[in-house]
């Protein structure tokens, strides 16, 4: 019976994974390819910058999620998803620039088991590449707005992007205060996570406006985007804990993942866990011990419960949509699936 259940579970996972990948490729590939062409057609004499841009755009930054969100959110309120491509292209580049700058701040030399631009080319090149993508993105955004967006929507969209940047910057600044601290509360951490999800909310809000959504639809998709963004960030918290190098980096150079912060709230294990976290050098065996203590203290289970709540709240916001609401349910279910799958490997 157990074998049958496992087979059914695996079949369900494979089905969801295939559906999500198909959705991402169908809705995101065109914008991503156009973004690559826009960057790589630039004439750059410096070999290092040229190689770094090529590496980032061709091998590293496989951003299908953001253009996909723009496409399905526009369609969900009755708009033509094709009109989102001119906005999706610059947003891919702007988001990529933000990612590179974040890596510089966090000193992240590897991510997802691959070297970042910082790790492969160094800080100076990474900074210049991030700046180049940012300026290229804003140039294309200006061109897109000038050419095809109704005048009454231009000011609103620009304001959304402005607010997104300031909220993301605020989140990064607040997160810097978490370095080396054992006393960060889960509430403080989640406040920053919520701010960091402004990026995803901006995409769903902009797209709902482009599609001509009602005020209620725009607000519903905005709330969905914020919650989906939080789920994506928190799922990465668990993944980081399961990878030795990522866990080591998070403990020493960034803020502690949420499951560890939950565990530190338990007075029975706080001193034991803190003594390991404060060691000058964290080895693989210490990371494994931290994971076991965190799990025993209920840190991972509390994160699971939070993920389920965020998913439920996100899904409740898509009931009013006109079309293809199942796409939004698919995305939240996929993140939960990936989260639960990750917990099976520790």
């Amino acid at each position: 019976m157990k074998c049958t259940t496992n087979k059914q579970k695996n079949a369900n996972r494979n089905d969801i994974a295939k559906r999500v990948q198909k959705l991402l490729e169908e809705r995101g590939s065109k914008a991503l390819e156009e973004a690559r062409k826009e960057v790589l057609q630039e004439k750059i004499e410096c070999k290092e910058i040229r190689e770094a841009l090529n590496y980032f755009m061709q091998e590293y930054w496989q951003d299908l999620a953001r253009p996909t969100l723009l496409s399905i959110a526009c369609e969900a309120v009755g708009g033509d998803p094709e009109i989102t491509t001119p906005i999706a292209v610059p947003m891919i580049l702007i988001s990529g620039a933000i990612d590179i700058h974040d890596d510089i701040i966090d000193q992240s030399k590897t991510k997802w088991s691959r070297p970042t631009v910082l790790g492969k080319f160094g800080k100076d090149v990474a900074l210049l590449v991030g700046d180049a993508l940012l300026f290229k993105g804003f140039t294309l955004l200006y061109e897109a707005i000038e050419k095809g967006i109704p005048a009454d929507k231009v000011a609103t969209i620009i304001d959304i992007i402005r607010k997104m940047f300031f909220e993301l910057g605020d989140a990064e600044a607040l997160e810097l205060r978490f370095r080396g601290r054992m006393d960060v509360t889960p509430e403080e951490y989640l406040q920053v996570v919520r701010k960091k999800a402004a990026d995803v909310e901006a995409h769903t809000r902009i797209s709902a406006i482009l599609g001509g959504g009602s005020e209620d639809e725009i607000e519903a998709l905005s709330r969905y985007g914020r919650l989906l963004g939080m789920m994506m960030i928190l799922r990465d918290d668990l993944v980081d804990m399961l990878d030795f190098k990522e866990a080591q980096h998070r403990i020493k150079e960034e803020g502690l993942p949420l499951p560890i912060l939950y565990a530190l709230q338990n007075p029975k294990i706080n001193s034991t866990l803190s003594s390991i976290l404060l060691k000058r050098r964290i080895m693989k065996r210490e990371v494994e011990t931290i994971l076991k203590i965190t799990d025993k203290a209920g840190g991972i289970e509390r994160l699971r419960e939070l993920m389920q709540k965020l998913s439920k709240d996100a899904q409740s916001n898509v009931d009013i949509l006109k079309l293809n609401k199942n796409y939004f349910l698919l995305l939240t279910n996929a993140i939960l699936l990936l989260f639960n799958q990750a917990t099976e490997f520790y």
Side-chain angles (χ1 to χ4, degrees):
M1 186 70 175
K2 185 176 180 181
C3 180
T4 303
T5 302
N6 286 338
K7 285 183 179 179
Q8 290 173 341
K9 186 187 295 185
N10 289 333
N12 182 52
R13 286 175 175 171
N14 290 335
D15 178 60
I16 291 176
K18 286 179 181 178
R19 288 165 59 198
V20 169
Q21 189 60 34
K22 181 181 179 182
L23 176 64
L24 293 174
E25 289 175 357
E26 288 179 350
R27 298 303 186 98
S29 294
K30 180 181 177 181
L32 180 58
E33 190 55 38
E34 287 190 22
R36 286 172 176 157
K37 288 178 181 178
E38 287 287 349
V39 172
L40 299 180
Q41 73 181 359
E42 294 287 346
K43 297 189 186 320
I44 298 170
E45 185 175 346
C46 178
K47 179 182 176 183
E48 290 82 0
I49 299 296
R50 191 169 63 247
E51 289 179 350
L53 278 168
N54 188 73
Y55 169 73
F56 185 77
M57 295 304 302
Q58 296 279 42
E59 299 181 45
Y60 187 87
W61 194 239
Q62 307 295 321
D63 186 12
L64 296 171
R66 289 176 180 83
T68 296
L69 272 175
L70 286 167
S71 175
I72 64 174
C74 181
E75 185 178 69
V77 298
D80 178 4
E82 289 296 318
I83 67 174
T84 64
T85 300
I87 293 289
V89 172
M91 292 302 282
I92 287 171
L93 301 182
I94 291 168
S95 298
I98 292 171
D99 188 77
I100 292 173
H101 288 158
D102 286 350
D103 288 340
I104 295 171
I105 293 169
D106 296 334
Q107 301 175 52
S108 297
K109 294 186 177 181
T110 61
K111 194 184 291 182
W112 310 311
S113 300
R114 290 179 297 173
T116 62
V117 175
L118 172 66
K120 193 173 179 70
F121 298 95
K123 182 179 178 179
D124 293 343
V125 170
L127 184 60
L128 290 169
V129 167
D131 289 347
L133 292 174
L134 198 59
F135 283 113
K136 182 69 175 180
F138 276 119
T139 300
L140 293 175
L141 184 63
Y142 174 79
E143 291 175 0
I145 287 173
E146 283 291 298
K147 289 178 182 177
I149 299 177
D152 61 326
K153 296 179 180 179
V154 170
T156 302
I157 290 172
I158 290 174
D159 192 52
I160 291 168
I161 295 171
R162 177 188 64 80
K163 288 178 179 177
M164 176 194 81
F165 262 94
F166 275 91
E167 196 165 1
L168 290 175
D170 193 28
E172 285 293 334
L174 290 170
E175 196 171 36
L176 288 174
R177 304 190 313 193
F178 296 165
R179 286 179 177 173
R181 285 178 53 193
M182 306 290 117
D183 62 342
V184 177
T185 67
E187 292 74 23
E188 286 179 286
Y189 185 81
L190 286 170
Q191 179 187 3
V192 171
V193 169
R194 183 169 184 81
K195 283 180 175 290
K196 289 171 75 173
D199 172 27
V200 183
E201 178 181 338
H203 282 73
T204 52
R205 179 177 282 273
I206 288 170
S207 196
I209 291 170
L210 286 174
S214 67
E215 195 63 38
D216 286 343
E217 289 171 328
I218 293 168
E219 292 305 316
L221 278 167
S222 297
R223 290 191 296 270
Y224 174 89
R226 181 75 67 160
L227 293 164
L228 181 71
M230 292 180 69
M231 290 181 68
M232 293 164 69
I233 294 165
L234 292 172
R235 182 256 173 185
D236 287 345
D237 267 18
L238 178 64
V239 173
D240 287 349
M241 286 185 64
L242 300 176
D243 182 283
F244 162 60
K245 288 186 177 179
E246 288 294 336
Q248 188 183 50
H249 185 81
R250 285 289 299 267
I251 292 166
K252 292 300 178 185
E253 304 294 343
E254 301 181 54
L256 296 172
L258 184 58
I260 296 178
L261 296 179
Y262 277 140
L264 286 167
Q265 299 295 300
N266 187 331
K268 294 181 179 179
I269 62 93
N270 181 285
S271 60
T272 302
L273 185 54
S274 295
S275 65
I276 302 172
L277 293 168
L278 289 170
K279 285 187 174 183
R280 290 188 62 183
R281 190 171 183 184
I282 305 289
M283 306 299 291
K284 188 172 183 178
R285 62 179 178 274
E286 276 87 27
V287 170
E288 292 171 350
T289 301
I290 290 167
L291 188 59
K292 288 177 182 177
I293 293 174
T294 299
D295 186 30
K296 188 176 180 180
I300 293 174
E301 184 56 34
R302 287 187 67 181
L303 178 56
R304 189 197 310 277
E305 291 170 359
L306 175 60
M307 292 284 286
Q308 290 171 342
K309 182 180 185 304
L310 291 172
S311 177
K312 184 178 179 180
D313 291 346
Q315 292 181 4
S316 70
N317 281 290
V318 300
D319 291 338
I320 69 169
L321 299 178
K322 296 183 178 100
L323 300 166
N324 294 333
K325 66 180 68 177
N326 286 337
Y327 285 152
F328 300 95
L329 305 182
L330 176 64
L331 292 176
T332 52
N333 286 335
I335 294 173
L336 276 182
L337 181 151
L338 290 170
F339 177 87
N340 291 327
Q341 193 172 25
T343 63
E344 295 175 4
F345 292 97
Y346 70 85

